[in-house]
Amino acid sequence: MQTAQTQTTEMQATETQTAQTQTVAIGRLELRLGGVLADAKLAYCSYGTLAPDGGNAILVTHGFTSSHQFVEQGGWGSLLGPGRPLDTNRFFVVSSNMLGSSYGSTAPSSIDPASGRPYGPDFPAITVADMVQAQRRLLGALGVRQLVAVVGPSYGGFQAFTWGVEFPDFMRGLVPVESAPRAQAPFDDVALLRRLAADPRWNGGHYYDEGEGVLQTMTALRIETLRRYGAEQGLRAQGLDATAIEAELLRQARPWAREFDAHSMLALGRAINRYDVTPDLGRIRARVLYLLSRTDAVFPPSLAPPVMAALRNAGVDARYAEIDTVHGHLGSDVDVALWAPVLSGFLDELAG
């Protein structure tokens, strides 16, 4: 198995590109589990220029509780721009928000046309396949006829694998990062719902007119997630003491808690429990670059042998690279320079 080389080579000094969020109406969306979204829309950002043949696009998919703007932020921002792996001189990069997310796409906080108020707890059940179907409509509206690749971390990797089985001829490559072709642990929506309902502002799930809503509970949940992803270890490595670590975790958690809707967390979490494409890996025709982080407890590197064996047994052209990072599930972002050359080489092969 290939290992991503530890490198200190700096990414190019050009600033990361920024783009305004845009939305595309994708119409009536019939969902896999029987529900319907009458007037669905999807938010996205794009970078670079689409080629006349519509074939130079790369779709970037985001993680569970982040947004389509993550590709401009943090370490992933170092991947985007002229001469970088997501080279905007060569590629038309589309970063799509997930259906059901909190950042501009149709989601539980959207207005239900039937009631005139936010869907809230009445938002229909969605699947990762629904998210991918919505993205396919978005790309069609933008004039994309084929993708060079789908690239995404964590939940974004779920989407990448699902793209491979849902639309096997639409892309040349898949790059799931710190992810897997099925969920590794069940999402406990029952416990989460119980915890949210204990918040005095819950109001039966219709808390949108309750000032800050369930901000306190969402902040606590975010801090717990940051710990699980390895943020505490990273802050400790920076020399911060316990008090400073708590303050920094709170500083990082509070803005997210103000933006991210609790019902989106439930809807996307329940979709995790329905996600498993392992029976359909034989449908994948794209080449796969599979990346895991050495210290990731969410998607540990012990997944690599069985996942690679399943892909190869299904006839998929797949390769593996391991990110030698101490930052756990945050490693692909914090130590992006360790795996950027591997991504760049893979995309060069696909484009060539």
Side-chain angles (χ1 to χ4, degrees):
M1 291 184 178
Q2 182 184 7
T3 300
Q5 298 295 311
T6 301
Q7 298 193 14
T8 57
T9 303
E10 294 183 358
M11 306 297 286
Q12 293 194 17
T14 54
E15 293 184 0
T16 299
Q17 298 186 30
T18 59
Q20 293 293 320
T21 292
Q22 301 182 68
T23 58
V24 164
I26 58 174
R28 176 184 171 88
L29 190 64
E30 296 185 2
L31 305 172
R32 291 294 174 90
L33 298 178
V36 174
L37 294 172
D39 298 300
K41 64 180 182 178
L42 215 59
Y44 74 99
C45 288
S46 65
Y47 316 85
T49 303
L50 183 64
D53 67 359
N56 70 327
I58 293 175
L59 176 66
V60 182
T61 52
H62 65 81
F64 185 6
T65 55
S66 62
S67 82
H68 54 291
Q69 292 181 314
F70 89 102
V71 75
E72 298 180 3
Q73 303 161 349
W76 276 73
S78 300
L79 298 173
L80 179 70
R84 299 180 181 186
L86 300 176
D87 187 345
T88 49
N89 286 341
R90 301 169 64 197
F91 303 122
F92 178 58
V93 180
V94 179
S95 185
S96 167
N97 188 230
M98 280 193 284
L99 183 74
S101 184
S102 296
Y103 297 99
S105 297
T106 297
S109 59
S110 302
I111 299 299
D112 178 358
S115 67
R117 67 176 187 175
Y119 285 99
D122 301 320
F123 191 71
I126 57 174
T127 66
V128 180
D130 294 321
M131 300 169 199
V132 167
Q133 176 65 38
Q135 290 166 351
R136 177 65 184 87
R137 291 195 190 179
L138 164 67
L139 294 174
L142 296 179
V144 175
R145 296 191 179 96
Q146 189 184 49
L147 290 167
V148 176
V150 182
V151 183
S154 196
Y155 209 126
F158 292 173
Q159 295 164 74
F161 276 119
T162 303
W163 261 100
V165 303
E166 291 288 322
F167 300 102
D169 296 316
F170 199 75
M171 81 295 298
R172 283 171 264 168
L174 302 171
V175 187
V177 183
E178 296 174 328
S179 190
R182 64 182 170 198
Q184 296 305 294
F187 180 85
D188 194 345
D189 61 307
V190 174
L192 176 58
L193 183 58
R194 185 183 305 118
R195 185 167 175 182
L196 290 166
D199 191 299
R201 297 179 184 268
W202 178 247
N203 190 31
H206 295 283
Y207 49 79
Y208 296 101
D209 295 326
E210 296 290 323
E212 292 188 333
V214 290
L215 175 64
Q216 185 174 352
T217 301
M218 293 297 284
T219 301
L221 288 167
R222 184 59 176 173
I223 290 173
E224 292 166 15
T225 299
L226 290 171
R227 291 186 194 278
R228 187 168 64 254
Y229 285 0
E232 189 171 3
Q233 293 93 314
L235 293 172
R236 191 177 297 115
Q238 295 176 27
L240 275 64
D241 62 19
T243 301
I245 287 172
E246 293 302 316
E248 177 60 19
L249 291 175
L250 178 61
R251 187 193 69 80
Q252 293 182 25
R254 187 55 67 90
W256 174 88
R258 291 187 185 280
E259 295 176 344
F260 203 82
D261 180 32
H263 285 300
S264 282
M265 196 169 189
L266 285 164
L268 299 179
R270 287 164 177 159
I272 290 175
N273 291 338
R274 305 179 186 108
Y275 166 73
D276 182 1
V277 297
T278 52
D280 301 312
L281 292 179
R283 290 181 50 80
I284 295 176
R285 295 190 178 93
R287 297 164 66 183
V288 174
L289 170 61
Y290 185 44
L291 291 132
L292 295 175
S293 294
R294 177 178 62 82
T295 53
D296 190 354
V298 182
F299 296 98
S302 59
L303 288 173
V307 169
M308 291 301 293
L311 288 168
R312 288 168 178 160
N313 289 341
V316 179
D317 180 353
R319 68 186 72 173
Y320 172 68
E322 191 165 293
I323 307 168
D324 188 14
T325 174
V326 300
H327 293 286
H329 194 58
L330 302 175
S332 68
D333 183 80
V334 177
D335 285 328
V336 68
L338 300 183
W339 64 279
V342 178
L343 175 64
S344 184
F346 184 67
L347 295 177
D348 283 345
E349 292 175 20
L350 297 176

